[in-house]
Amino acid sequence: MNRVTKRTWLMSVFIGVLLLGMVFFLGEYATQAGTWIGTAGSLQSSGGGTVVDRSGEVLLTLDQGRTYSENATTRKSTLHWLGDRNGFISATAVNHYAGQMAGFDLFNGIYDASGEGGQEVLTISAKVQNAALEALGSRKGTIGVYNYKTGEILCAVTSPTYDPDNVPDIAGDTSGAYDGVYLNRFLQSAYVPGSIFKIVTVSTALETVPDILDQTFQCYGRLEYGTEAVTCEVAHGRQNLKQAFANSCNCAFAQIAELVGKQNMVKYVNQFQVVEPLHFDGITTAKGNYDISETAQVSFAWSCIGQHSDLINPARYMTFMGAIASGGSGAEPYIVSQVTNGGEITYQAKTTSTGRLMSEETAATVREYMRNNVQSVYGSGNFPGLSVCAKSGTSQLGGTEVSNAMFAGFVENEEYPLAFIVVVENGGYGSHTCVPILSKVLAACKEVLDAA
């Protein structure tokens, strides 16, 4: 009798484990089957499909292999979105919608019998991607531009890159030209922001210090904290908030940091979402960093200037720029606008809001200040036909390493609702390096939007 009982118990355990396994599999099948279609190579074997840019230009054909654009510059400028043939660079957005491209559902499997495959339409423009890559030249970095009303990414270029139809000897390269080539810097990098982070500090001050617009700040070129100090390259004299922002005065921002306080900075960095990862089209970006726990006052001051241990992800910070441009609440970015199969729309993107990050009043003041920066410092003539608002940054990396050049902002024109970020690694001064690059990229964006 004991033997029968034991066998019955073992059989019950076995059946229970089997049922749990089946439940787990069905759950995974329901949530992941569409992704399995792409990652298992089923997309190509089921008729493949094409990936096109916003104007319909073919970027990639999937049919028993990968056939890229006929244009070599386009192949290089879009590689970090389309992936390479060896799997060193992933194509997350393409794979994420593989099921929709293949004509797949949970009940019928791959039901497309045409053999023609589907089409995935990206929001990026090959023309703008190429203009951005050419403007960067041999320099490492990234450029991102998106429509802050709809969320469409027009440009997201990473350098260095290479031609997948003419792959260089990356493993054997000793020049450093291909360092980090497999990294999508727009998505996967986190950079020291430098003075573009002062946009966060100004916004926080406007939200938390009632009389901040009546305050003035004296800069002697150096503000001492015991044996340490915050420094500026020149003594800016007495300034109000708007002037200190235009001058990018470190000493003034150290004084602003004292008025704001650590608790408010942490609160509003979180509220503005500037260090949070983004999630779109199956992609999760890198996180940023803002950690002032147990920091001395001088380190806190530097954190409000965009140094200390501060890090930002380019895609996320671009989105923050879009929220300011939109009055404190912008659109989340996306790169896949539509997927079709056999004439049927199997996926259609929708605009998603960031939610309110700051008050409309604060956003309006920051827009005014950033517009003043361009008019009084960077030069409106660099952006013909566009009302650009921006802030530059020179992010110090320590030692003898040349600083990264940073530039972030947006266009105010109703017909060109574009927010942007430019990062040039070891590029030196932000405005000096980034403005000529951005000028070419925004001009290309303007042409594309005018032709739409």
Side-chain angles (χ1 to χ4, degrees), residues 96-118:
H96 187 67
Y97 298 101
Q100 289 90 332
M101 287 182 71
F104 169 86
D105 67 39
L106 296 176
F107 301 102
N108 300 308
I110 298 175
Y111 59 81
D112 177 21
S114 69
E116 297 177 0

Side-chain angles (χ1 to χ4, degrees), residues 100-102 117-121 338-347:
Q100 289 90 332
M101 287 182 71
Q119 183 182 82
E120 182 172 287
V121 183
Q338 189 181 82
V339 180
T340 59
N341 182 279
E344 177 187 352
I345 297 175
T346 53
Y347 171 77

Side-chain angles (χ1 to χ4, degrees), residues 279-299:
H279 307 280
F280 63 94
D281 296 322
I283 296 163
T284 298
T285 68
K287 285 189 66 173
N289 183 72
Y290 186 75
D291 184 3
I292 55 170
S293 57
E294 301 181 6
T295 56
Q297 194 63 27
V298 65
S299 296

Side-chain angles (χ1 to χ4, degrees), residues 64-76:
Q64 305 300 325
R66 305 171 74 86
T67 303
Y68 296 89
S69 168
E70 295 180 356
N71 183 291
T73 303
T74 301
R75 292 197 295 269
K76 290 191 286 186

